[in-house]
Amino acid sequence: MRIYPQISLATPGDSFRADLVQTLTDGLSRWKDALNAGWIEDDQQGCFGTGRWQALVDAGLTGLVTSEDFGGMDLAAAELAEVLEHLGYICEDAGLGFSLATHLCSTCVPLKTFGSDALREELLPDLVSASRVGAHAITEAHSGSDAFAMKTTAVRDGDAYVISGDKCFISNAPIADICVIYARTHPTKGALGGFSAFAVDCDSPGFTIGKPRKKMGLRTAPMADLYLSDVRVPASRLIGREGQGFVMLDAVMRWEILCVFAIQVGEMRRQFEACLAYAKERQQFGARIGSFQAVSHRIADMHMRLQSARSWLARMVAALEGGGQASLEFAGAKLAISEAHVANAMDAVTLHGGTGYMSETGIEAQMRNAMGGLIYSGTSDIQKNRIAAILGL
Amino acid sequence: MSYPTLRTFIADEFAMDLTPDQLTDDLDLIENGIIDSLGVLKLIAFLEGEFDLIITPDELDPDNYHTISMIEDIIREKHKTAA
Ligand SMILES: Cc1cc2nc3c(=O)[nH]c(=O)nc-3n(C[C@H](O)[C@H](O)[C@H](O)COP(=O)(O)OP(=O)(O)OC[C@H]3O[C@@H](n4cnc5c(N)ncnc54)[C@H](O)[C@@H]3O)c2cc1C
C-alpha cells in the first residue's frame, strides 16, 4: 500500500522526459543500499563517505545538469527536481545529497551558463565524471548575509588575475579540486558590476585549504575555510565577463535552492511516511499512539507542511521554466521549505519519543541537518528581506 | 518618452543623500555603487510592476543598468517589442 500519494512536480509538457526521469529514479533505487551504507557512523564521526559518493557518481548524478556534449544529461528544472526529490527520499545521508548539490551548483551551473567554450571543454567533462570535485566560495568572516561586502580581490596582471583573501564555511572544500572564487574586480562599483567569479585549481600556489570544520549537522558533507595569498589564475579562468559575479551568483543561487530543497522535500516525504507508520504501530496505554489526538494532530501538521513544501517546489520549477526573474518564488520557496523541514524534523523526534533522540536511528540527525537550511543560500531573515523588497517595501 | 516615476523611484530608494541636481540622467549608478544587491531586486520588481514588462535573468546584465537613461532605453525597447 502506498502510504502517501505523491504529487508530480512536473508541469505536463512535451519537453518533460518522463522515460529518462523514470530510468534515473529506478536506477537510483537500485543504489539505495550503497548510498546509505555506514552513514550513521560517518555522521557521528564527521566523515565524508567516499564509497557513498562513488555510488552517486556511478548512478550518473554528477552529470545531471551538464549538457550531453560533456557527458552529462542536461536535465530541465522539472526533471532535475523529480530526480533529486527521489534521491532525498531514498538516501538518508543528507550530507551526501548536500555535497552533490554543492558540486553541481557551484561549478557545473556557472560554467554551463556563463563559461567560455574553452573553459567548458577544459572543466566540465571532469566535473561530470567527478574526477574533479567542485565547490564555491563567497562567504568571508565579515561578509555573510552581506555577501558583496567581501574583501577578497582579484587584480588583473598581464594574462592572469592575482587573487587574495580568506573565505569561510566552504562546503566540499576538503575534497574540492576546483573552487569558484567570487572576488572584487573593481574598486568602487557595487554588487552589480564590481565582482567576478573565477574557476580556481585548489592546488594552485598560494591556495590553502584549512582543516575540516566540525558542525551541528550535515556532518558527512565536508567543510573548510580557504586562504588565498596572491594566487595567480589565468585570465581564461574568469567565468563569463568581468563584473558578472552578482548576476552569476543570482543564477547559481536559484539552482542551488532548487537542488538542495528538492532533496529536502524527498527527505521530508520519507520522514513523514516513517512517522505515520510509527503512529499506527506504536502502542501506549493499550492503544496506538496515533489514536491520541495530540499525536494525530502532529501528523496532520506534518502532512500540511510537507504538502506546502511540495507546492513551493513545484512553484519554483514552474518559475524557472517560465524564464522570468522569479525572485519572489525562490525566496518564498527557500523560506517555506527550510522552515517546514525544521518543524517536521522536530515533530519527528517528539513523535518517536526516546527512540527519536537516539543517534542510532538517524531521526535526530535529520533535525540537526535541517537547521542548516535556515542559514545557507541566504538566511530566513534575508529571504524575508527579499520578499519585502520585491513587494516594494 | 521619459519616465518620471523611474527617476522618483531611484531618488527615493537609492539616492536619498543626493540632491536632484546630482541625480542626473547620466549619473553612473553602477560605477558609484548606488544600487546594492537588494536594490537590484527592488528595481526589477519596480520596472516589471510599473511598466508592465518582464526582465529575464539573462537581461540582468550590469552593462544595461548604468544610468537612468539606459534604464529608460530598456523600457522603451521592451514596449516597442511588445507592441
Ligand atoms: C551548512 C552550511 C554550508 C555553507 N556552505 C557555504 C559554501 O559552500 N560557500 C560559501 O561561500 N558559504 C557557505 N556557507 C555560509 C553561508 O552562506 C552563510 O553562513 C550565510 O550566508 C549567513 O552568513 P553569516 O553566517 O555570516 O551570518 P550573518 O550574516 O552574520 O547573520 C547573523 C544573523 O543576522 C541576521 N541578519 C544578517 N543581516 C540581516 C539583515 N539585513 N536583516 C535581517 N537579519 C539579518 C541573519 O539572518 C542571522 O540570523 C554555508 C553555511 C552553512 C551553515
Side-chain angles (χ1 to χ4, degrees):
Chain A
M1 187 190 76
R2 205 175 206 172
I3 304 174
Y4 184 73
Q6 197 182 341
I7 308 159
S8 176
L9 297 167
T11 34
D14 291 344
S15 59
F16 185 80
R17 293 171 291 177
D19 289 351
L20 174 63
V21 169
Q22 191 66 48
T23 308
L24 280 165
T25 51
D26 287 351
L28 257 183
S29 297
R30 283 196 292 278
W31 289 98
K32 186 174 171 186
D33 289 345
L35 289 169
N36 290 307
W39 82 267
I40 292 182
E41 295 73 21
D42 283 348
D43 183 73
Q44 283 164 5
Q45 283 156 29
C47 290
F48 175 66
T50 314
R52 291 188 301 279
W53 175 258
Q54 193 54 48
L56 273 187
V57 176
D58 293 343
L61 266 61
T62 44
L64 290 180
V65 300
T66 307
S67 82
E68 285 97 340
D69 298 345
F70 304 110
M73 286 171 247
D74 206 8
L75 296 195
E79 298 162 345
L80 187 62
E82 288 276 0
V83 173
L84 290 179
E85 196 271 354
H86 190 70
L87 173 69
Y89 182 66
I90 62 157
C91 174
E92 295 179 44
D93 181 3
L96 183 68
F98 191 75
S99 276
L100 173 71
T102 301
H103 174 75
L104 295 176
C105 300
S106 62
T107 44
C108 302
V109 166
L111 286 167
K112 166 185 153 174
T113 320
F114 297 92
S116 65
D117 288 347
L119 199 50
R120 283 189 225 164
E121 269 159 35
E122 182 190 349
L123 299 178
L124 283 175
D126 285 356
L127 289 164
V128 169
S129 69
S131 59
R132 294 205 249 188
V133 175
H136 61 174
I138 305 108
T139 309
E140 300 178 3
H142 300 286
S143 56
S145 299
D146 190 8
F148 291 97
M150 67 177 70
K151 293 201 170 77
T152 297
T153 54
V155 180
R156 183 83 194 220
D157 179 26
D159 58 358
Y161 283 85
V162 178
I163 306 184
S164 290
D166 299 341
K167 298 284 183 183
C168 65
F169 309 149
I170 309 308
S171 300
N172 281 0
I175 54 165
D177 304 283
I178 304 282
C179 186
V180 173
I181 304 280
Y182 289 78
R184 178 174 270 289
T185 39
H186 190 281
T188 56
K189 285 183 185 176
L192 257 187
F195 299 84
S196 307
F198 301 85
V200 182
D201 292 324
C202 297
D203 58 1
S204 304
F207 192 118
T208 308
I209 301 174
K211 63 177 194 316
R213 294 198 68 147
K214 291 189 166 52
K215 50 192 171 6
M216 175 183 188
L218 299 171
R219 292 179 181 167
T220 58
M223 175 189 271
D225 297 346
L226 303 178
Y227 308 93
L228 288 89
S229 171
D230 292 335
V231 177
R232 268 189 92 77
V233 179
S236 60
R237 289 297 191 91
L238 169 69
I239 309 177
R241 283 180 287 114
E242 217 183 270
Q244 268 192 321
F246 172 84
V247 179
M248 202 175 307
L249 188 59
D250 193 58
V252 164
M253 280 299 137
R254 281 159 210 257
W255 287 95
E256 180 169 296
I257 290 171
L258 179 78
C259 291
V260 168
F261 291 97
I263 295 173
Q264 291 199 19
V265 169
E267 291 168 1
M268 288 175 71
R269 181 159 66 93
R270 169 170 37 79
Q271 179 187 57
F272 177 79
E273 289 180 1
C275 288
L276 182 57
Y278 193 74
K280 287 179 175 175
E281 147 213 318
R282 171 79 175 162
Q283 303 232 346
Q284 288 293 287
F285 300 96
R288 291 176 296 116
I289 59 168
S291 67
F292 306 129
Q293 197 178 51
V295 175
S296 66
H297 281 193
R298 184 163 289 123
I299 291 283
D301 285 340
M302 291 179 77
H303 168 77
M304 296 303 291
R305 291 190 208 105
L306 172 60
Q307 290 286 15
S308 157
R310 288 192 70 82
S311 305
W312 274 104
L313 180 56
R315 277 181 79 124
M316 241 190 313
V317 166
L320 256 187
E321 302 214 320
Q325 280 298 319
S327 301
L328 195 56
E329 274 76 11
F330 275 84
K334 202 270 167 180
L335 181 63
I337 301 174
S338 61
E339 304 250 343
H341 194 183
V342 170
N344 274 16
M346 281 181 68
D347 275 347
V349 173
T350 308
L351 188 132
H352 282 86
T355 305
Y357 199 71
M358 297 302 126
S359 297
E360 78 256 16
T361 62
I363 298 167
E364 56 86 37
Q366 191 159 350
M367 197 183 110
R368 290 186 282 100
N369 296 336
M371 279 299 292
L374 306 181
I375 301 168
Y376 53 70
S377 315
T379 68
S380 292
D381 297 323
I382 294 301
Q383 301 309 332
K384 288 179 192 170
N385 289 351
R386 291 169 70 86
I387 292 169
I390 297 164
L391 295 176
L393 297 172
Chain B
M1 186 181 173
S2 72
Y3 302 94
T5 52
L6 171 66
R7 156 175 288 283
T8 311
F9 173 78
I10 289 180
D12 291 351
E13 285 291 339
F14 310 120
M16 294 280 267
D17 50 346
L18 296 183
T19 64
D21 294 352
Q22 288 172 315
L23 184 62
T24 61
D25 283 357
D26 295 321
L27 174 73
D28 197 319
L29 305 167
I30 305 285
E31 200 81 24
N32 292 292
I34 290 173
I35 300 181
D36 64 7
S37 55
L38 214 51
V40 178
L41 278 182
K42 287 190 183 192
L43 178 62
I44 302 290
F46 171 78
L47 293 176
E48 292 192 339
E50 179 78 9
F51 303 111
D52 194 23
L53 44 85
I54 289 177
I55 293 167
T56 65
D58 312 346
E59 292 166 332
L60 190 63
D61 194 304
D63 285 350
N64 297 335
Y65 293 86
H66 274 279
T67 62
I68 291 182
S69 313
M70 288 173 79
I71 301 171
E72 287 186 336
D73 286 346
I74 296 174
I75 303 170
R76 267 190 291 274
E77 194 53 42
K78 291 244 168 211
H79 283 168
K80 211 160 65 190
T81 324

